[in-house]
Every structure is written in structure tokens, then in C-alpha cells.
């Protein structure tokens, strides 16, 4: 017995399993129906997995109580405990739908409908539902068997066996079977009328689109005709009686409730027109009197019951009229006006909770899709689907909607429809309002898989998807160019010069006349290339306008299209790859470097897609080396081999730059990278790996060309500076040291000559003028600087460092890392320099003073004349030099004791120093922020200007482009400069304390 004031263990377990009223649940579990399984973990676990465990338990007890005999009750309970498929289906339904729980309590044997779990049960169609409804002979029995079928649909839905689209299709198929059953009952009740006429039932709306809700009006249009030899007037009257009876059978309330209303108000003249018309009467109406919205409604027309042949004749007769609707005067304006009218008619108190009709709701997606279908479906039959999601996919495939837009709309539509389904399923009531009661919201959230904090998560996801729909709806639905497109005859759709000029001016193109010439060149003609570009251009113009130089973006797009327009894969890429078009637009309008790299080999545009070309994800060093070395092995001489290596470098530089631009600008499918440090690390790592792979391949090519497989001396390349630190920028030289060691039996002079010849040839081959950017090798950090030999033996390095090494050289060695050549020699070089760069005793006071003196001298002597020191990213206060020298001083002082400091990477060393308590987390964050920002500015300058620079550009457009890369919108260049100064000033304050001891 539980002590007074203490909760029982069952109470606690029930809370843990998601029950909101554990006391009531405990009483139900103690009842006679569940007494012997009350502690069964399987049952509690299954109840806890439902949308509403309390509701599920209550429904289960009611179902057990309704069983006609104890043996039936025991059979049900044993099956629930033993059979997981039934358990999940039954409890899932009971936890999501009070209405279906009521049905099961009234018809307690219907739970058997959930026991079967054969493949044919997983995705039933019209035929299976017709068999399920076959025993119905009157309206009451039809409702019973209808709900039994609905029970199985709901079970598959809540268990995740079917997704939203499949569930909606099953509901439409069940409605089709129900309309057929209702018509059969009506025919049986009036055989004389049935004998006189042909009657076709045309499903409209969501039923016609094969995307029905749980509870929705089933929109229909009736088409009648006389059987051979019958009078047409009598036949139409007979068909009207049958149609009216069919509607009553489905709509009227009986002891078993109703099924759903059958709504025929979409027929010609609406409720004022005759319920049934002949085919010729329908055609005459649509030819003369129909309004724009009536053609829009016909997009979903589908014959489902009665005389299917007559129904197909109806669809075939009206289909040509549907696809001419976009040629009507004011077509686009009419559709837009109707959408606004729908929103205006929503009560103010409900508009924020209206899933279907409110702004950002389901109707926004449906209207946008239908408008685009009617405009573009005239010439493209692939768009003529009545199902919203299928039509959306077709629009994306055809390039009429951006792939990313389509994915977001698809996700949002599925989520909002799923919300609508689960709201309706609870009481089987027709509603599109999100509930306000917290218990209802909790059940709704849990039913959608949101379990941590259902109410908050549901609200957040709902608002997010609504916001996405609202934004994309405005972009697609109100696109001003659509109206102009819709006025032209089929086959002649193109961007009109007037619309293009207005659009260009509005988007801020500096030279609209030149831009229009580019547009005319891109959009003219009847080729497949021109058709795809006409579809893309309105969207591309917007993406170009989102940059600092839209004119350059459009010009570059024309150049790429001129170069690749006849290449089949390029057209497929623009049409099919969701990210490619937007990525291309971003890259072409962000500055000079990436377009220049692309124009040298336009086929690299394939990297911007998401297909087999590898996308924008940087390739690792091993993969790059493998590709380059394999080509070197096949090449006919060193020149050809290095030419290939440089081509790989150019391609991968473009990949890296494009990824950097897309991550910095963001796209509709990929938000701006929030972690700026990650962007910097990605660029630095990718360019450094690429440089190392290029040097490795060049070394192999030179050795192979001059000496065959074996050089007379072991040879290694050691990366220094930013190269060794994996922090290279786009315009960085490769700082290196060269080291060699004569092979056994080889004369040292011969070895030295071979090593020097290798270095000379590597530098020559990597700088030969070509379409590929040169790779400059800088060996000035070697012993004795420019005055010393380019290559030394390992013993020579050891002797120099032992006798002559200066403090700055030990500091420079902090970033030394092998990048190419003999692995054993590389390892021994690192063993040689480790005691120098991480001295066991740390640094003495004299050494620290010397480092500080050298740093101060460098600041005063190397700052370019006329440069603003506060905006110089390398040498200015709080710039790269400040942060790096501070970190390197900490490394030399404490590296021998703190393993994490023994790294060549600035940010990693800074993080290790913070972890070791050598500086505060706040100071570390300040230095890291400044270093990342300064590096980003340098990368931006190179991307924008196409040449390296350590200060912000003076040209206004270039400065704006740097700002856009850094996340500053138009008109906020001043904010960018102020933020840089502020960040650098804070960093300098930390440097003064940590480096200078001030």
C-alpha cells in the first residue's frame, strides 16, 4: 500500500509515459477489464507512444466493456498484448480519434478490421474499398462499413505506414468507392430512372485531385445523357433524381451520423443552375459564360462514378478550354483577386488559426500551383496534374518553380495538411482551425511526432511553415512578369522587353540597356536552351539583384551560357538540379575571382549542382593527391603532368570559392552559415590541402621526368606560415622550406644539384603562363632568408639551428608541417625542430623582449604608406599579426607542457590555451572573433577584386560586395567598417595585455 502523501510507482510510470491524468489512468488500469495486464510494460509502452495516452486508454476500456462476452474481451486483450501490428494500429487510432473510438464502442467487432496485415492491406485502392463497402444496402449500413474502412486508413496514417500523400489518396479512393456504392443504392431504389439515363459523377476539388481530407465536402459535377432511344428531357430529369438521392445518401444524418456532404456548387451557374446537364450543355456554358475560377476548378476534374465513359468524354471536351484560360483578358489579375477575396472573408478572430484559407495557409500553395499550371501548362502537358504535390513536382522538374522553392512548399504543404488531418480525425468534424486548448494542441503535436515539448514545437513548426508559404507564395503568385507571359500565344512565351526593362530598373541594375541586350540574347529563339533560360531569367534576375553587382552577374551568366549552351548536361543541370541555378547566380554576381576561374573552364559549373559531380563539398587531400598522381603517371612529360595538376587546382579553387560564396550569401535551400569560423576553416583547409596535393604531384612529375623513379637524394617539402597552418587564402603564396638528404652512396654535390634542379623546375612549371592561375612558391622563411641556399640537407638545417638560429626563426617553425616528399625525412625534420619551437624551459625574458621588439618594428616599418592602420587586416591593431603573434608567444612559452598547443593552426592553439587556463574564455573569444573577421575580409577582397589585398577596397561597388559577403545589406557599408574597427579595437586591448604585458 502506498503511504499517504506519496505517489505510487504506477502513478510515476504513467507520468513518464505521457499521461496527463495519471490518477484517472490508474483507476482504469485497476478496473476489472485490465487488472491482469495493468503492469504489463508492453501495454504501457504502447499507450505512451500514442498521441494521447489518456484518450487511448479510455477508448480501450470502452472497447473492452463493449465486447459481447468475456471470451471476446479476452480475445481482444490477448491479441493487443501479443500482436504488435494490431496493438500499434488500435491504440494509435484510439489515441488520435475520439470519433473512431465511439464507432468501435458501437461496433465492438470492427477491431478485427485492424488485425490483418497483408501487403494488400497496406495500400488499398478503389477496388479494395469497393469490396469493403459491398455489404452496404442502405444509407445506415453504408455509414458503418464506410467508418470501418476509414478505421483502417486512420490506422495506417497514425502508425506511419502511409505518408500524407498516400493517406489523402486513400481517402479519395474511399470516397470514390462510397459514391459508387451510394449511386448503386440510388439506382436500386429507382430502377426505372436508372434505365432511362446515363449519369457520370465528376469529382472536383480535393476528391478529384486525389488528395482528400478526413472530413471534407466532396465536390462533384453531374453529367447526364439519355440511353439510346430515350427522350433527353426525361433522361436528364431521371438523372437529376438519381443525383439528388446520391447526395442525400451521403450527406443526411442518420443514427450512424453522416458520411460527408456532397457539394455540387461548382457546376455551371452554381446552386442556381440545374444539378445535371448534358455534355453539350456543359460545353456550351464553358465556351460562353464560365469565369476564370471555373476553369481553375476544372484542373481537378476526374470521373469517379456512374458512366465512366461519359465522364471521360466530359473531361476530354473541356480540357482544351482549361488550357486556353490563361489567354483570357485579366486572367492573372482575376485569380489573384479571387485569392485576396477569400482571405478578406475570413473572420478576424480566426485568421491567425486558419490552416486552409489564412495567409501562408494551404490555399496559398494550391492557388500558386494552379496559377502556374494554367499559365505554363498550355505548352507543357507534364504540368496537367490535378494533385497539388504532383503538380508542384512537375513545375519544379520543368523549371517553372525553383527546385528549392518546390521542396520548401512541399514540406510546408505536407506539414500543414498533416495538421489539418489530425485536427479533423479527432472528432471527424470538418474544420480547418488550429485548436486553442492546450490539451488539444498537445495531442496534435504528439500525433505529428513532436514529443519533447509538443505545444511549443508544434507552434514553432506551424509558424515556420506558414512563413515559408507566405514568402514563396508572394514570390510565385505575384510575380509581375507572369501577366505578360500569359498574354502571349502558346509556343511564344518569352520575357517581353517592356517587362524586362521595368524589372531591371526596379532591381537596381546600373546599366539596364546592356542588361536588356544580354536578356534578349539569352531569351530569344525557340531552342530548348532559350526556353529553359526564359523560365529561369525572372528568378535569376532577383538573385543577381541580391548581390552588389547584378550587371556583372547577368553578363557572366551570358558568357557561361554562350560557352555551354549547346552542351546537353548544362541544360539538364539548370532544369533539374535544385541548387544549381541559384548557386550559379550567387557565384556569378559575387565578384571577379569565381567567375574568372569558371570562365577558364566553364564545365566546372557542374560542381554547382547536387548530382554526381561532387557538389560544393571540399575534397580531402588524399582524394586530390590520388587524382593528380594518377594523371602524373599517365602524362607524357612533366609539362603535361603539371598542366593537369594546375587544372585540378583551378577547378578545386572554384569549388572552394563557390562553396564559400553560397555559405556566405545563403540560398533559399541553404541558410547563411551561422558559424563564420567554420567558413574560414573550410576555405583555409581546402586551399591548403589543394596546394599540398599540387606540390606533391608537381614533385612527382619533375622527379619522374628527370630521374625516373628515384631521385639521387631524399627530398621533402615543409609547409610554413599559413600553408603549414592550414590557413591559406585564395591569393596566398605557398611558404615552404625544402630539405633533402643524399641517398646512400650518392655524392653530396650530386645530391645538392639534383635537389636544386627539382626546386627550380617545380617553381618554373607552376608559374608557366596558362589559363590556370600560377602557384607561387615562397621559400623566404628558410635559414638566412633570401641570402641562404634554397635547399639544405637535414644535417645542414641541424647545424644552422644549433649555432645561428634566431628567435623569429623558432617562432616561424611553429607553423612548419610536412606537405610533400619523403615521409621519413619529413618525420626526422619535425623531430629536429620540435625542441626549437616548443622549448622545454619555455622562453626567457630576453627572448620575450626580442619577440616584442621585432613585432613593434614590423608594425612601424611594414605598414603600407597611406593605408589606414585601423582597417589593415594583417598589420593593423587587432589584425591577423596581433592575434597570431600573441598565440605563438603562448605556444613557445607553454607548448612543451601543454600538448594541445603543439599545433600549427592558430584557432586550435587559441582554443587549447583557453582550455589550459592560459587566457580567459572571454579573451580567447575576442581574439578568435578578430582573427576570423580579418581572414574573412581578406578572402572577400580576393573574391571581389580577383587580386589579394589586406585592406578594404576604395571602390564603392567593390566595398559593397565585400559587405554583402560579410552579411551587410545595401547601405550598411559604414556599419561594416565600424564593426571591424570595434572588433579589432577589442582584440588589440587583449593583445596589449597578453603580448606586451601592458
Amino acid at each position: 500500500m502506498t503511504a499517504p502523501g506519496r505517489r505510487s510507482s504506477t502513478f510515476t510510470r504513467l507520468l513518464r509515459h505521457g499521461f496527463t491524468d495519471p490518477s484517472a489512468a490508474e483507476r482504469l488500469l485497476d478496473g476489472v477489464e485490465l487488472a491482469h495486464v495493468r503492469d504489463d510494460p508492453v501495454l504501457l509502452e504502447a499507450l505512451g507512444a500514442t498521441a494521447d495516452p489518456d484518450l487511448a486508454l479510455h477508448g480501450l476500456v470502452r472497447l473492452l466493456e463493449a465486447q459481447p462476452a468475456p471470451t471476446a474481451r479476452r480475445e481482444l486483450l490477448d491479441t493487443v498484448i501479443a500482436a504488435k501490428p494490431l496493438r500499434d494500429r488500435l491504440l494509435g487510432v484510439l489515441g488520435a480519434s475520439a470519433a473512431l473510438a465511439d464507432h468501435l464502442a458501437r461496433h465492438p467487432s470492427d477491431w478485427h478490421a485492424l488485425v490483418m496485415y497483408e501487403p494488400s492491406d497496406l495500400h488499398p485502392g478503389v477496388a479494395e474499398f469497393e469490396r469493403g463497402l459491398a455489404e452496404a444496402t442502405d444509407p445506415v449500413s453504408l455509414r458503418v462499413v464506410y467508418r470501418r474502412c476509414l478505421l483502417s486508413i486512420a490506422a495506417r496514417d497514425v502508425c506511419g505506414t502511409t505518408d500524407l500523400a498516400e493517406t489523402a489518396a486513400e481517402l479519395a479512393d474511399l470516397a470514390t468507392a462510397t459514391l459508387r456504392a451510394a449511386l448503386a443504392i440510388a439506382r436500386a431504389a429507382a430502377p426505372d430512372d436508372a434505365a432511362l439515363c446515363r449519369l457520370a459523377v465528376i469529382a472536383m476539388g480535393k476528391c478529384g485531385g486525389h488528395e482528400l481530407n478526413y472530413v471534407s465536402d466532396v465536390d462533384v459535377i453531374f453529367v447526364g445523357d439519355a440511353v439510346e432511344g430515350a427522350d433527353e428531357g426525361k433522361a436528364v430529369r431521371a438523372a437529376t433524381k438519381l443525383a439528388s438521392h446520391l447526395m442525400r445518401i451521403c450527406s443526411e444524418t442518420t443514427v450512424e451520423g453522416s458520411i460527408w456532404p456532397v457539394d455540387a456548387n461548382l457546376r455551371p451557374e452554381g446552386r442556381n443552375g440545374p444539378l445535371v446537364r448534358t455534355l453539350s450543355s456543359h460545353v456550351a456554358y464553358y465556351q460562353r459564360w464560365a469565369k476564370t475560377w471555373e476553369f481553375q476548378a476544372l484542373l481537378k476534374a476526374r470521373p469517379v462514378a456512374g458512366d465512366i465513359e461519359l465522364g471521360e468524354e466530359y473531361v476530354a471536351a473541356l480540357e482544351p478550354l482549361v488550357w486556353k484560360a490563361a489567354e483570357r483578358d485579366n486572367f492573372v489579375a482575376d485569380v489573384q483577386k479571387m485569392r485576396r477575396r477569400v482571405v478578406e472573408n475570413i473572420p478576424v478572430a480566426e485568421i491567425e488559426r486558419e490552416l486552409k484559407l489564412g495567409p501562408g495557409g494551404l490555399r496559398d500553395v494550391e492557388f500558386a500551383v494552379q496559377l502556374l499550371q494554367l499559365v505554363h501548362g498550355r505548352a507543357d502537358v507534364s504540368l496537367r496534374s490535378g494533385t497539388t504535390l504532383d503538380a508542384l513536382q512537375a513545375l519544379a522538374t520543368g523549371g517553372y518553380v525553383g527546385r528549392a522553392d518546390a521542396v520548401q512548399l512541399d514540406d510546408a504543404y505536407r506539414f500543414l495538411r498533416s495538421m489539418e488531418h489530425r485536427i479533423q480525425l479527432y472528432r471527424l468534424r470538418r474544420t480547418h482551425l488550429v485548436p486553442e486548448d492546450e490539451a488539444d494542441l498537445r495531442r496534435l503535436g504528439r500525433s505529428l511526432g513532436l514529443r519533447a515539448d509538443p505545444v511549443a514545437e508544434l507552434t514553432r513548426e506551424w509558424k515556420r511553415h506558414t512563413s515559408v508559404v507566405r514568402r514563396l507564395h508572394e514570390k510565385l503568385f505575384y510575380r509581375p512578369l507572369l501577366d505578360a507571359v500569359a498574354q502571349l500565344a502558346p509556343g511564344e512565351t518569352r520575357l517581353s522587353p517592356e517587362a524586362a526593362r521595368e524589372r531591371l530598373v526596379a532591381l537596381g541594375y546600373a546599366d539596364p540597356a546592356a542588361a536588356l541586350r544580354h536578356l534578349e540574347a539569352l531569351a530569344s529563339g525557340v531552342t530548348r536552351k532559350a526556353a529553359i533560360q526564359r523560365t529561369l531569367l525572372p528568378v535569376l534576375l532577383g538573385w543577381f539583384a541580391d548581390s552588389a553587382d547584378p550587371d556583372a552577374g547577368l553578363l557572366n551568366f551570358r558568357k557561361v551560357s554562350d560557352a555551354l549552351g549547346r552542351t546537353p548536361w548544362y541544360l539538364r543541370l539548370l532544369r533539374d538540379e535544385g541548387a544549381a541555378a541559384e548557386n550559379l547566380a550567387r557565384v556569378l554576381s559575387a565578384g571577379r575571382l569565381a567567375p574568372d576561374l569558371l570562365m577558364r573552364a566553364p564545365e566546372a559549373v557542374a560542381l554547382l549542382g547536387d548530382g554526381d559531380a561532387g557538389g560544393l563539398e571540399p575534397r580531402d587531400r588524399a582524394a586530390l593527391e590520388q587524382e593528380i598522381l594518377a594523371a602524373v603517371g599517365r602524362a607524357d612529360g612533366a609539362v603535361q603532368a603539371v598542366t593537369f595538376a594546375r587544372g585540378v587546382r583551378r577547378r578545386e579553387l572554384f569549388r572552394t570559392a563557390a562553396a564559400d560564396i553560397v555559405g556566405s550569401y545563403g540560398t533559399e535551400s541553404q541558410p547563411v552559415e551561422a558559424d563564420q569560423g567554420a567558413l574560414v576553416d573550410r576555405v583555409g583547409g581546402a586551399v591548403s590541402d589543394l596546394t599540398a596535393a599540387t606540390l606533391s604531384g608537381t614533385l612527382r612529375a619533375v622527379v619522374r621526368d628527370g630521374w625516373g623513379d628515384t631521385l639521387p637524394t631524399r627530398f621533402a617539402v615543409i609547409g610554413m606560415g599559413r600553408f603549414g597552418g592550414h590557413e591559406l587564402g585564395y591569393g596566398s603564396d605557398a611558404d615552404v622550406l625544402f630539405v633533402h638528404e643524399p641517398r646512400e652512396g650518392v655524392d653530396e654535390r650530386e645530391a645538392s644539384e639534383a635537389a636544386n634542379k627539382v626546386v627550380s623546375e617545380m617553381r618554373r612549371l607552376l608559374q608557366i603562363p596558362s589559363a590556370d592561375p600560377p602557384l607561387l612558391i615562397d621559400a623566404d622563411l628558410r635559414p638566412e632568408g633570401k641570402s641562404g641556399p634554397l635547399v639544405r640537407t637535414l644535417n645542414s638545417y641541424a647545424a644552422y639551428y644549433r649555432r645561428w638560429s634566431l628567435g623569429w626563426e623558432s617562432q616561424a617553425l611553429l607553423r612548419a608541417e610536412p606537405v610533400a616528399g619523403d615521409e621519413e625525412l619529413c618525420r626526422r625534420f619535425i623531430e629536429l625542430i620540435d625542441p626549437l619551437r616548443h622549448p622545454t624551459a619555455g622562453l626567457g625574458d630576453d627572448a620575450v623582449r626580442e619577440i616584442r621588439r621585432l613585432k613593434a618594428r614590423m608594425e612601424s616599418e611594414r605598414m603600407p604608406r597611406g593605408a589606414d592602420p585601423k582597417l589593415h587586416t594583417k598589420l593593423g591593431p587587432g589584425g591577423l599579426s596581433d592575434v597570431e603573434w600573441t598565440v605563438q608567444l603562448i605556444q613557445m612559452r607553454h607548448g612543451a607542457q601543454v600538448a594541445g598547443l603543439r599545433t600549427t593552426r592558430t584557432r586550435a592553439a587559441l582554443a587549447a590555451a583557453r582550455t589550459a587556463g592560459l587566457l580567459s574564455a572571454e579573451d580567447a573569444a575576442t581574439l578568435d572573433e578578430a582573427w576570423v573577421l580579418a581572414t574573412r575580409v581578406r578572402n572577400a577582397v580576393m573574391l571581389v577584386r580577383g587580386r589579394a589585398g589586406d585592406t578594404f577596397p576604395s571602390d564603392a561597388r567593390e566595398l559593397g560586395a565585400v559587405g554583402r559577403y560579410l552579411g551587410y545589406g545595401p547601405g550598411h557599408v559604414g556599419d561594416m567598417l565600424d564593426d571591424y574597427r570595434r572588433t579589432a579595437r577589442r582584440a588589440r586591448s587583449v593583445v596589449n595585455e597578453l603580448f606586451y604585458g601592458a
Side-chain angles (χ1 to χ4, degrees):
M1 180 176 177
T2 305
R6 294 185 61 187
R7 291 178 172 175
S8 70
S9 60
T10 302
F11 187 99
T12 304
R13 287 168 62 204
L14 291 169
L15 276 176
R16 193 169 61 249
H17 281 94
F19 286 83
T20 57
D21 190 352
S23 298
E26 200 168 5
R27 288 193 297 274
L28 290 173
L29 288 169
D30 286 336
V32 65
E33 291 81 9
L34 295 173
H36 73 285
V37 296
R38 57 163 295 173
D39 295 320
D40 192 312
V42 169
L43 179 61
L44 283 183
E45 201 67 43
L47 287 167
T50 66
D52 189 337
D54 302 84
L55 184 66
L57 177 58
H58 185 257
L60 179 60
V61 171
R62 289 180 64 205
L63 178 56
L64 287 166
E65 290 173 343
Q67 295 305 305
T71 54
R73 188 178 306 133
R74 187 59 184 244
E75 178 194 2
L76 169 59
L77 200 53
D78 288 348
T79 309
V80 167
I81 298 300
K84 178 173 170 51
L86 170 71
R87 183 169 62 249
D88 291 344
R89 286 176 161 198
L90 178 60
L91 296 183
V93 168
L94 293 175
S97 178
L100 289 177
D102 291 342
H103 171 81
L104 284 169
R106 289 196 307 273
H107 303 280
S109 65
D110 275 6
W111 67 269
H112 288 93
L114 302 180
V115 175
M116 297 300 293
Y117 209 69
E118 299 300 325
S120 60
D121 297 316
L122 297 182
H123 301 291
V126 175
E128 287 77 15
F129 287 126
E130 284 189 293
R131 285 196 293 273
L133 301 178
E135 64 186 68
T137 57
D138 56 54
V140 174
S141 60
L142 181 60
R143 282 151 177 71
V144 174
V145 291
Y146 172 83
R147 286 234 161 70
R148 187 185 301 153
C149 292
L150 191 65
L151 187 66
S152 66
I153 294 176
R156 286 186 292 275
D157 179 15
V158 299
C159 291
T161 306
T162 53
D163 65 12
L164 178 277
E166 291 169 329
T167 300
E170 287 185 13
L171 289 166
D173 286 341
L174 177 56
T176 296
T178 304
L179 288 169
R180 292 179 183 180
L183 182 56
I185 293 171
R187 285 179 178 277
D192 292 342
D193 288 334
L196 277 176
C197 66
R198 301 169 67 194
L199 176 64
V201 183
I202 311 298
M204 304 289 285
K206 283 190 165 54
C207 184
H210 218 223
E211 52 188 13
L212 196 60
N213 296 332
Y214 276 103
V215 186
S216 174
D217 289 358
V218 171
D219 295 311
V220 298
I221 286 177
F222 295 107
V223 185
D225 199 0
V227 298
E228 188 174 349
D231 176 75
E232 184 179 286
K234 292 180 179 179
V236 169
R237 286 193 292 274
T240 301
K241 292 177 184 176
L242 292 175
S244 298
H245 193 186
L246 179 152
M247 294 175 68
R248 292 196 302 275
I249 289 170
C250 296
S251 306
E252 288 181 347
T253 301
T254 70
V255 292
E256 287 291 341
S258 66
I259 301 177
W260 18 248
V262 175
D263 188 340
N265 288 338
L266 291 177
R267 66 187 184 270
E269 300 180 76
R271 66 184 60 191
N272 297 319
L275 183 62
V276 179
R277 286 178 183 257
T278 62
L279 176 57
S280 59
S281 176
H282 276 286
V283 172
Y285 173 83
Y286 284 104
Q287 286 177 334
R288 295 189 62 189
W289 309 110
K291 297 181 175 61
T292 298
W293 70 263
E294 293 178 280
F295 292 107
Q296 186 178 351
L298 285 172
L299 280 170
K300 296 184 179 296
R302 180 171 65 96
V304 293
D307 193 316
I308 299 298
E309 183 181 351
L310 177 60
E312 289 173 346
E313 290 174 8
Y314 169 88
V315 171
L318 294 183
E319 189 174 43
L321 301 179
V322 172
W323 301 113
K324 290 181 179 178
E327 300 169 24
R328 296 163 61 92
D329 292 339
N330 302 315
F331 162 73
V332 175
D334 285 348
V335 177
Q336 294 172 341
K337 189 185 302 181
M338 184 171 69
R339 173 67 190 119
R340 286 193 294 269
R341 190 162 58 243
V342 168
V343 174
E344 290 165 0
N345 289 335
I346 302 171
V348 175
E350 296 179 356
I351 194 166
E352 292 300 320
R353 296 192 295 125
E354 176 59 68
L355 269 178
K356 180 179 179 180
L357 303 177
L362 294 165
R363 188 54 61 84
D364 273 350
V365 180
E366 293 159 359
F367 263 69
V369 168
Q370 290 164 21
L371 174 61
L372 290 168
Q373 281 183 280
L374 289 170
V375 171
H376 299 295
R378 293 172 293 161
D380 189 341
V381 296
S382 70
L383 306 182
R384 299 179 181 184
S385 171
T387 306
T388 300
L389 292 177
D390 290 347
L392 181 58
Q393 178 60 48
L395 286 164
T397 300
Y400 305 102
V401 173
R403 186 97 165 263
D405 290 351
V407 169
Q408 289 188 69
L409 280 175
D410 185 284
D411 288 345
Y413 190 74
R414 287 175 186 273
F415 184 84
L416 296 174
R417 280 294 305 271
S418 295
M419 281 184 70
E420 182 184 47
H421 273 196
R422 300 304 166 79
I423 291 168
Q424 293 180 351
L425 181 59
Y426 177 50
R427 292 288 186 192
L428 287 182
R429 290 177 182 165
R430 182 176 179 270
T431 178
H432 310 287
L433 291 178
V434 178
E436 295 178 292
D437 181 74
E438 184 163 343
D440 290 333
L441 291 171
R442 180 176 184 273
R443 179 180 57 257
L444 179 56
R446 283 174 60 90
S447 76
L448 296 171
L450 308 173
R451 299 299 174 96
D453 186 353
V455 176
E457 289 180 76
L458 173 68
T459 302
R460 184 169 58 251
E461 287 298 294
W462 168 34
K463 295 301 181 185
R464 180 175 71 84
H465 284 297
T466 300
S467 175
V468 166
V469 171
R470 186 178 300 189
R471 175 176 59 85
L472 293 179
H473 172 260
E474 290 168 356
K475 173 182 174 182
L476 299 174
F477 195 78
Y478 295 103
R479 187 162 52 184
L481 297 171
L482 271 180
D483 192 32
V485 172
Q487 297 298 321
L488 300 172
E492 298 178 12
T493 52
R494 57 164 292 177
L495 203 65
S496 74
E498 294 78 12
R501 190 175 292 108
E502 291 174 4
R503 178 76 164 162
L504 289 166
V505 171
L507 290 173
Y509 282 75
D511 188 351
L516 187 55
R517 287 195 299 272
H518 300 322
L519 283 175
E520 290 170 344
L522 288 162
S524 61
V526 294
T527 64
R528 183 165 168 266
K529 167 190 170 184
I532 291 175
Q533 290 176 163
R534 280 197 297 271
T535 301
L536 285 172
L537 278 168
V539 183
L540 285 170
L541 293 176
W543 286 330
F544 292 147
D546 193 35
S547 72
D549 195 350
D551 298 82
L554 183 57
L555 172 60
N556 289 331
F557 178 68
R558 181 180 177 184
K559 289 179 179 179
V560 172
S561 289
D562 286 347
L564 295 176
R566 296 183 182 274
T567 310
W569 64 260
Y570 172 68
L571 296 173
R572 285 198 300 270
L573 182 79
L574 293 182
R575 185 192 66 197
D576 298 336
E577 296 288 349
E582 185 174 7
N583 288 346
L584 180 61
R586 298 298 183 197
V587 166
L588 294 180
S589 57
R592 296 179 184 173
L593 178 65
D596 184 50
L597 291 169
L598 181 60
M599 297 310 169
R600 297 181 190 203
E603 67 274 5
V605 76
L607 300 175
L608 299 172
D610 49 15
D612 297 332
L616 297 181
E617 195 64 30
R619 299 176 68 204
D620 61 38
R621 178 173 166 181
L624 292 168
E625 281 194 5
Q626 182 180 18
E627 180 183 7
I628 290 174
L629 292 177
V632 168
R634 296 189 302 268
D636 183 16
V639 173
Q640 186 183 81
V642 176
T643 298
F644 180 86
R646 290 176 65 181
V648 171
R649 179 170 177 266
R650 183 249 315 132
R651 182 195 71 205
E652 295 303 320
L653 278 174
F654 173 73
R655 188 197 305 268
T656 303
D660 189 17
I661 291 166
V662 170
S664 299
Y665 272 61
T667 64
E668 291 172 9
S669 60
Q670 178 182 327
V672 173
E673 173 65 65
D675 185 353
Q676 303 296 294
L679 279 173
V680 165
D681 291 344
R682 198 174 302 141
V683 171
V687 177
S688 300
D689 284 348
L690 175 57
T691 302
T694 305
L695 290 177
S696 183
T698 303
L699 174 59
R700 173 76 64 86
V702 169
V703 171
R704 185 168 173 265
D705 199 48
W707 294 271
D709 293 332
T710 306
L711 191 66
T713 185
R714 293 182 177 85
F715 188 90
V717 184
I718 310 298
M720 299 290 287
R722 293 192 170 279
F723 186 16
H726 297 259
E727 297 161 358
L728 283 179
Y730 299 111
S732 300
D733 296 346
D735 290 320
V736 298
L737 298 178
F738 296 109
V739 57
H740 78 104
E741 183 177 65
R743 295 186 185 277
E744 188 175 346
V746 176
D747 178 71
E748 187 165 325
R749 181 175 177 179
E750 178 189 351
S752 179
E753 287 178 354
N756 276 283
K757 186 174 180 181
V758 167
V759 172
S760 175
E761 190 67 0
M762 287 180 66
R763 299 178 85 173
R764 182 184 75 83
L765 290 172
L766 289 170
Q767 296 179 49
I768 291 176
S770 75
D772 300 312
L775 174 56
L776 302 179
I777 296 176
D778 187 340
D780 290 352
L781 292 176
R782 65 187 184 272
E784 301 179 76
K786 294 181 180 179
S787 303
L790 267 177
V791 191
R792 287 177 181 262
T793 64
L794 184 64
N795 289 336
S796 176
Y797 275 106
Y800 177 85
Y801 287 140
R802 185 169 57 249
R803 297 187 60 190
W804 310 109
S805 177
L806 301 174
W808 72 265
E809 291 177 299
S810 296
Q811 183 180 348
L813 289 171
L814 284 167
R815 317 243 281 182
E817 180 170 293
V819 294
D822 187 284
E823 293 183 5
E824 176 62 19
L825 184 58
C826 288
R827 183 187 63 77
R828 289 167 58 202
F829 182 84
I830 295 301
E831 288 178 351
L832 169 68
I833 66 171
D834 270 347
L836 291 169
R837 57 183 180 175
H838 305 303
T840 305
L843 288 179
D845 291 343
D846 289 345
V848 172
R849 278 195 295 272
E850 176 61 20
I851 290 173
R852 289 170 175 165
R853 186 190 65 78
L854 189 62
K855 171 77 166 68
R857 186 177 125 195
M858 185 180 70
E859 288 179 12
S860 62
E861 293 180 359
R862 294 193 181 179
M863 182 68 68
R865 183 176 300 175
D868 181 352
K870 293 181 181 179
L871 293 176
H872 198 280
T873 60
K874 183 176 181 180
L875 301 174
L880 294 170
S881 176
D882 264 4
V883 176
E884 289 166 1
W885 281 61
T886 301
V887 172
Q888 289 161 13
L889 182 60
I890 294 172
Q891 286 181 283
M892 296 186 73
R893 277 177 156 174
H894 305 283
Q897 290 76 41
V898 180
L901 291 174
R902 298 196 286 273
T903 175
T904 62
R905 307 178 187 220
T906 302
R907 297 189 72 214
L910 186 56
R914 181 198 65 223
T915 302
L918 300 175
L919 78 168
S920 69
E922 182 180 356
D923 286 349
T926 298
L927 293 178
D928 186 70
E929 181 186 10
W931 189 89
V932 167
L933 179 57
T935 304
R936 292 264 292 154
V937 171
R938 293 180 93 206
N939 285 344
V941 170
M942 185 65 188
L943 285 170
V944 169
R945 303 178 67 192
R947 60 182 188 274
D950 294 317
T951 60
F952 288 88
S954 56
D955 178 81
R957 176 157 281 195
E958 290 179 347
L959 188 61
V962 170
R964 184 65 186 84
Y965 171 87
L966 295 175
Y968 294 87
H972 291 276
V973 165
D975 295 336
M976 172 182 68
L977 298 178
D978 288 345
D979 288 346
Y980 180 84
R981 292 188 186 97
R982 189 180 307 111
T983 301
R985 187 168 60 247
R986 288 200 303 264
R988 180 64 177 203
S989 177
V990 175
V991 170
N992 285 337
E993 180 182 347
L994 296 179
F995 184 82
Y996 289 110

